[in-house]
Amino acid sequence: MEKLPTELRTLIAKELPTRDICRLQQTCKAFYDLIEGDSELWRERLRRQCGAGVLWSSFSGCTASELRRACTGILRFKHRYRPGNRLALPIPRLLPYNSGDDDLQAQQTQELNNPYPDISATFLVPEGRFLITLDKTQLRVWDLGPPGSLVEPCEVVRYELNCADMMPEIADVIVADRDTVHLLIQEYYSQPTLPQSFGIDRSEYNFGHWSTFTLLHRLEIRLPGRGLHSVRELGRLCVLHSRGSEICATQDGPIVAFGVGERVLIWGASDSPGKSWVASATRTSHSTAGQDVFCHQGYAFVVDSHGLQGFELAGITHRPVGNGLVDLQYGGPDIGNIPPPLQWTHQQTFEDTFRPWASDFMLHKPVADEGPLFYDIRHPQLEIDATQRDFVSYAYVRFCFCFRPDSPSANSLLPTKRYRTATQPCDTPHLHFALDEGVGGYIWYDCLDLGVGRGNIFVSILEDDTDFPEASGPDIESLGDFSEIIARPNPESTAVLNTSVCPLSGRVVVLWDRESKEDRLVEIFDLYEYSLTT
């Protein structure tokens, strides 16, 4: 190999998995020098690891060594949390005070350990460099530094939200291109009259005792490697619906799909009011337990405890949004026309049948452009403990959905595995993250006070069922040996609201709810050993 031309050796190295590249690097000094300093080789590895949806501005200005560290982050994550490897807990960092904000300076004298107590939502953008935070009035984007460095978080974007002074939540985030992120913000508004800024007269809608508003804001965040970062609004939608029907949402290019109780709503978002449109349909399934929505290969899918319904996005007859409000209250007519859905039922191949209240849908992301995708649904079951008292325990069933829009009869929805998190009936997986081929991980919580609130955060790594698996039967499998990565700072008064994890960068961001201080705290955990930089 050493006698081969440099260009050919580089071409061969680009075709190898990350682990094999690292092994090749150790064979001789010539390969070590060639691989260590080749930025383009490591960029190619990132392309293959992250797929098409990589935010390349996360690696702006990275050296070859920093790119190599990013590529090997998944290997270090697997090594760190292999079964039985108990580790010291990482030391958290807080977001810094902004020296230009007088209000925050005043807060600094009162809350020395929490510069942003009003944050309502957080999201760690894939690749782990940028963190999005929301409060009642502000959207902020923080640069946590490239993988392989430890720097103080820096605020790179501040944008005043046009919200209704509620507690905004992050409904969905997608990477649109190499330096752009699309953010979907959701807020619930229970008052009978909208704020004046919405320009909607009360007489234009029928607001009753069981009515509520959900306000949706779609924003574009540009994070170029060079130049100014920016935010602009792509559209705003107000949905009037029956109280108790929570909305779940996802984005797919310019399309936003919603599940609203028994309805599916498709929104063509646009920053031009005349071009924004909506369409809705009533689902044939009346089950909304565990409901969620995702897009895949030109269809919007609504999933619940009963099964899947897929609505084709092509051929929709829609109507303009008009004043920006859509009335989807119970019994209201459908808007426009969405083609009749394709439908799949969860096969009851396990010894226990699904209950109507199965919940905690968890889609394995990122979703491939084609081929199988995986998701999990919580499956309650009755058990007897050592004292012969009945209690409900939870297992999770993983499904593999193989969708072929060119041949609907060939589609399949198969249960592949049933697993339990631990012996505790209240342990709850929160999100699934991909590592490399055939291996994935789960972040999971334990609960406080018999299921009220969520406390310690754990991680588990297990082999995934890839390709086209067969059902594994009724046996419940364990998720394996868990390793605790974060302990709640005050077990009496603190719960977890949200967790984001990026194995690539080794970062975990947690939003805590501190009941004793009546505030919310953002902590950043760096799992790997970093080089301190200024």
Side-chain angles (χ1 to χ4, degrees), residues 43-59 125-127 174-181 252 365-370:
R43 283 186 175 274
E44 178 61 26
R45 287 308 311 155
L46 283 173
R47 290 188 190 99
R48 301 194 181 195
Q49 286 185 199
C50 302
V54 56
L55 189 72
W56 281 109
S57 54
S58 297
F59 306 104
V125 178
E127 288 78 64
I174 59 172
V175 176
D177 58 40
R178 60 186 299 114
D179 64 2
T180 306
V181 172
D252 183 38
K365 295 183 177 181
V367 176
D369 293 336
E370 57 185 18

Side-chain angles (χ1 to χ4, degrees), residues 119-290:
I119 286 179
S120 60
T122 60
F123 184 83
L124 184 63
V125 178
E127 288 78 64
R129 178 165 183 169
F130 296 105
L131 171 66
I132 300 172
T133 65
L134 301 180
D135 58 39
K136 290 182 179 180
T137 60
Q138 300 286 339
L139 158 69
R140 290 181 170 89
V141 181
W142 304 86
D143 187 348
L144 307 183
S149 65
L150 185 62
V151 297
E152 182 176 84
C154 174
E155 181 185 294
V156 295
V157 172
R158 186 191 300 191
Y159 179 80
E160 185 174 350
L161 293 172
N162 184 17
C163 290
D165 196 30
M166 306 298 288
M167 297 292 284
E169 302 174 1
I170 295 176
D172 190 44
V173 181
I174 59 172
V175 176
D177 58 40
R178 60 186 299 114
D179 64 2
T180 306
V181 172
H182 286 172
L183 170 67
L184 185 66
I185 297 175
Q186 175 176 302
E187 52 178 340
Y188 296 102
Y189 193 78
S190 58
Q191 301 301 315
T193 303
L194 287 170
Q196 187 175 2
S197 63
F198 279 74
I200 299 174
D201 188 85
R202 192 180 192 279
S203 62
E204 297 180 13
Y205 53 84
N206 180 24
F207 190 95
H209 178 70
W210 295 104
S211 302
T212 189
F213 294 107
T214 296
L215 311 177
L216 290 308
H217 310 261
R218 195 164 190 251
L219 304 175
E220 178 186 84
I221 305 175
R222 291 200 68 249
L223 302 166
R226 296 179 180 178
L228 296 177
H229 302 81
S230 63
V231 178
R232 72 182 181 101
E233 187 167 357
L234 294 179
R236 184 175 66 175
L237 186 70
C238 177
V239 181
L240 177 61
H241 58 95
S242 301
R243 192 184 301 271
S245 300
E246 293 189 1
I247 290 183
C248 51
T250 189
Q251 303 174 87
D252 183 38
I255 301 296
V256 182
F258 303 96
V260 190
E262 297 176 3
R263 308 284 283 274
V264 56
L265 174 68
I266 308 297
W267 173 32
S270 173
D271 56 355
S272 173
K275 295 182 179 179
S276 189
W277 56 264
V278 291
S280 73
T282 301
R283 299 168 53 214
T284 57
S285 170
H286 298 293
S287 172
T288 60

Side-chain angles (χ1 to χ4, degrees), residues 68-133:
R68 179 187 185 277
R69 188 172 182 85
C71 289
T72 58
I74 289 176
L75 299 178
R76 282 179 283 126
F77 193 97
K78 290 169 60 179
H79 176 77
R80 179 180 176 89
Y81 293 107
R82 65 179 183 270
N85 190 9
R86 299 298 179 181
L87 302 163
L89 300 180
I91 299 174
R93 295 185 290 152
L94 302 181
L95 294 172
Y97 290 92
N98 189 315
S99 59
D101 194 320
D102 294 336
D103 291 337
L104 286 178
Q105 290 297 299
Q107 290 177 6
Q108 189 171 7
T109 61
Q110 303 173 9
E111 290 287 346
L112 295 178
N113 61 343
N114 190 3
Y116 297 91
D118 296 324
I119 286 179
S120 60
T122 60
F123 184 83
L124 184 63
V125 178
E127 288 78 64
R129 178 165 183 169
F130 296 105
L131 171 66
I132 300 172
T133 65

